[in-house]
Amino acid sequence: MYIYKAAVVGGGTMGAEIAQAISFSGLPVLIKDIDQSKVDFGLKVARNIYQRRVDKGKMTQDEMESKMSLITGVTDYEMFKDVDVVIEAVPEQLELKQRIFKELDEVLPETAILCSNTSSLSISALGSVTKRPHKVIGMHFFYPAHVMKLIEVIPGLDTSEETVGDITSFSESLRKLPVRVNECAGFLVNRILMPYLNEAAFCLEEGTTSAAEIDHAMVEAGMPMGPFTLVDNLGFDVCREVVNILLDSYGPRMQPASIWKRLTDMGRLGVKSGAGFYLYGDRAGQEDPELKQVIADLSQEAPKSEGFSANRLMYPLINEAIRCIEENVCTAADVDLSVIAGLGFPQDRGGILHYADEVGLPNVLAELERLTGIYGERFWPSPLLKRKVAAGHTGKEAGKGFFEYATA
Ligand SMILES: NC(=O)c1ccc[n+]([C@@H]2O[C@H](COP(=O)([O-])OP(=O)(O)OC[C@H]3O[C@@H](n4cnc5c(N)ncnc54)[C@H](O)[C@@H]3O)[C@@H](O)[C@H]2O)c1
């Protein structure tokens, strides 16, 4: 399918950046929001992204104006009659999104594809309220969408292969890296990221290692930023939505650490509220007796532990990724591409499953079993890992693990 015109519904944090990315590829795009002030906000975000390119000498003022002329802000569906693809980016509420999908289904041409940028809601549930579930699909961008290359392309139960192909090519035309992720709660990146972030929170609750020390250690281990800096930037409210959906689907292994709720109840939502795991604004860098007290309280109840280690955070992430392969959510190559392009995992390690192959799968299994002995079932090794080890697919040294390697 050739796409001549696109639209984004919801011109907030994500929608505005998505519209900019589309216009940058040379395609006309509408930004629809509820009123003119919201539309103007979206247009301003897009213009600011272009302006920074102009300031850096990466484009001329004229080129910027020509790209901006491809973006049209609207507050109704009048101009949607000839739109080929829509990306919905309104707040994360199923009923709101379903209402919008119904409205779009009425106004769009029969051939148009309806995408959602949802982080956690069911694509199948969105498709079910339309007369074209075969043309409904997840197109999950990562923040900031004008920088991050990864797009999770998520077919629902009724999505056609043709739609998957069309949105994969469309993503490539935006100079992004599309990865097919078969529908599951949290999709791929958020699903594997949460056990990692949660384990960092369990370590903090024990009271022996500070957030800054853990963040520093994970950056040393190669992550682009520490887990607490990341959560503060994502926002506790956004993370909570994802955590609830993961807990609901996967059960006890996704049980969130208590500190999330304690800080959320205090109105500490991260950077946007001036405090999360760190303090921001006027209080940045100051002593934080409130957080110290929360940790002191929680450490009283903390179970037996051997303390923080980078492995304690990385291994649940690897284990959850293996579960995704086992469930046919995606391929091993796509896991590695996603952690590099979506999480900033160091490219020189080739991704987390290449890293696991390098370490040796029997070692990964033994460490997970050891950690299970201390912390319980959230470290329980995935059955596929056990099968691989039992079958001699033990990693790079053996010539096969999650990938194949040339042996000497
Ligand atoms: N923020 C992130 O980091 C991030 C990352 C990936 C995916 N997402 C997902 O993207 C979606 C949007 O998130 P966001 O952070 O951009 O939210 P946001 O609150 O910044 O923006 C939402 C926009 O939708 C508009 N809106 C609300 N109702 C509308 C309606 N009926 N019609 C048209 N516009 C309407 C709002 O006015 C607002 O401008 C969510 O599903 C979220 O889960 C967010």
Side-chain angles (χ1 to χ4, degrees):
M1 168 186 187
Y2 194 83
I3 295 169
Y4 294 93
K5 184 173 166 186
V8 174
V9 178
T13 311
M14 291 303 288
E17 297 223 357
I18 294 170
Q20 186 276 337
I22 294 172
S23 68
F24 191 54
S25 77
L27 199 68
V29 57
L30 307 173
I31 296 184
K32 180 191 179 291
D33 212 301
I34 42 176
D35 61 37
Q36 195 56 44
S37 69
K38 300 275 187 192
V39 168
D40 290 344
F41 170 85
L43 292 170
K44 195 169 142 217
V45 169
R47 182 170 282 280
N48 287 346
I49 295 170
Y50 280 125
Q51 188 61 54
R52 286 197 291 275
R53 292 186 67 82
V54 172
D55 294 346
K56 286 183 187 159
K58 289 185 172 174
M59 82 184 336
T60 65
Q61 194 75 29
D62 283 353
E63 283 165 343
M64 161 170 139
E65 293 310 331
S66 137
K67 294 288 187 199
M68 277 307 294
S69 72
L70 291 169
I71 311 179
T72 308
V74 296
T75 53
D76 59 31
Y77 291 125
E78 193 70 18
M79 292 175 75
F80 276 61
K81 291 186 196 86
D82 57 350
V83 163
D84 302 303
V85 59
V86 177
I87 299 158
E88 164 278 308
V90 302
E92 192 76 342
Q93 298 152 20
L94 183 62
E95 277 167 28
L96 171 64
K97 287 186 192 274
Q98 283 185 323
R99 177 163 66 75
I100 285 166
F101 270 60
K102 269 189 197 161
E103 289 169 6
L104 288 167
D105 200 27
E106 295 300 318
V107 297
L108 288 168
E110 255 178 42
T111 50
I113 297 177
L114 271 151
C115 308
S116 177
N117 184 47
T118 177
S119 305
S120 54
L121 300 172
S122 160
I123 303 302
S124 307
L126 293 175
S128 71
V129 299
T130 71
K131 293 193 242 19
R132 62 180 95 192
H134 59 296
K135 286 199 165 276
V136 172
I137 191 162
M139 191 177 182
H140 186 216
F141 291 76
F142 289 78
Y143 181 79
H146 75 285
V147 176
M148 298 300 283
K149 289 279 171 215
L150 185 68
I151 295 181
E152 292 179 332
V153 174
I154 307 140
L157 288 172
D158 299 310
T159 311
S160 70
E161 282 307 311
E162 193 183 348
T163 302
V164 176
D166 287 339
I167 292 306
T168 302
S169 318
F170 175 51
S171 304
E172 284 165 351
S173 76
L174 305 180
R175 291 175 240 185
K176 300 285 186 191
L177 288 169
V179 164
R180 181 194 178 120
V181 176
N182 289 323
E183 190 176 29
C184 67
F187 311 138
L188 175 64
V189 170
N190 285 339
R191 173 174 169 182
I192 65 177
L193 180 64
M194 277 305 157
Y196 162 88
L197 297 178
N198 204 26
E199 200 55 38
F202 279 121
C203 291
L204 183 65
E205 282 182 9
E206 290 163 8
T208 49
T209 319
S210 70
E213 285 165 337
I214 294 172
D215 271 1
H216 179 72
M218 295 320 294
V219 172
E220 288 282 293
M223 297 305 263
M225 66 175 81
F228 300 110
T229 307
L230 179 60
V231 171
D232 273 3
N233 279 286
L234 290 172
F236 281 43
D237 47 343
V238 172
C239 291
R240 190 180 47 213
E241 297 290 335
V242 178
V243 166
N244 286 342
I245 283 175
L246 294 178
L247 182 61
D248 187 50
S249 284
Y250 305 118
R253 74 174 188 270
M254 295 287 181
Q255 186 63 48
S258 311
I259 196 163
W260 301 106
K261 186 170 176 339
R262 289 288 291 270
L263 295 185
T264 309
D265 288 349
M266 295 162 106
R268 296 176 67 131
L269 300 180
V271 177
K272 64 176 129 185
S273 69
F277 287 108
Y278 298 101
L279 297 174
Y280 301 92
D282 297 345
R283 293 191 296 157
Q286 288 181 9
E287 278 290 297
D288 191 352
E290 198 178 60
L291 178 65
K292 274 199 180 136
Q293 189 57 52
V294 170
I295 294 174
D297 292 349
L298 291 172
S299 66
Q300 306 284 321
E301 300 148 25
K304 175 173 77 86
S305 168
E306 59 173 17
F308 162 76
S309 67
N311 273 3
R312 209 176 134 186
L313 273 59
M314 290 307 294
Y315 279 50
L317 191 155
I318 294 172
N319 201 26
E320 197 62 37
I322 300 172
R323 287 184 194 278
C324 288
I325 312 237
E326 192 169 9
E327 291 169 24
N328 209 13
V329 168
C330 61
T331 64
D334 283 347
V335 166
D336 276 4
L337 181 63
S338 300
V339 294
I340 292 169
L343 293 181
F345 191 80
Q347 195 159 0
D348 57 5
R349 289 200 197 158
I352 47 169
L353 294 180
H354 274 98
Y355 171 67
D357 275 355
E358 184 89 40
V359 170
L361 301 188
N363 296 328
V364 175
L365 177 59
E367 180 67 350
L368 282 167
E369 285 174 338
R370 195 183 71 76
L371 292 165
T372 305
I374 304 172
Y375 302 105
E377 64 184 285
R378 63 183 192 267
F379 284 92
W380 192 270
S382 87
L384 177 61
L385 177 61
K386 288 186 177 167
R387 272 173 57 218
K388 290 242 176 219
V389 171
H393 295 211
T394 52
K396 192 169 179 183
E397 212 175 290
K400 58 187 168 187
F402 286 101
F403 302 93
E404 301 218 332
Y405 304 86
T407 43

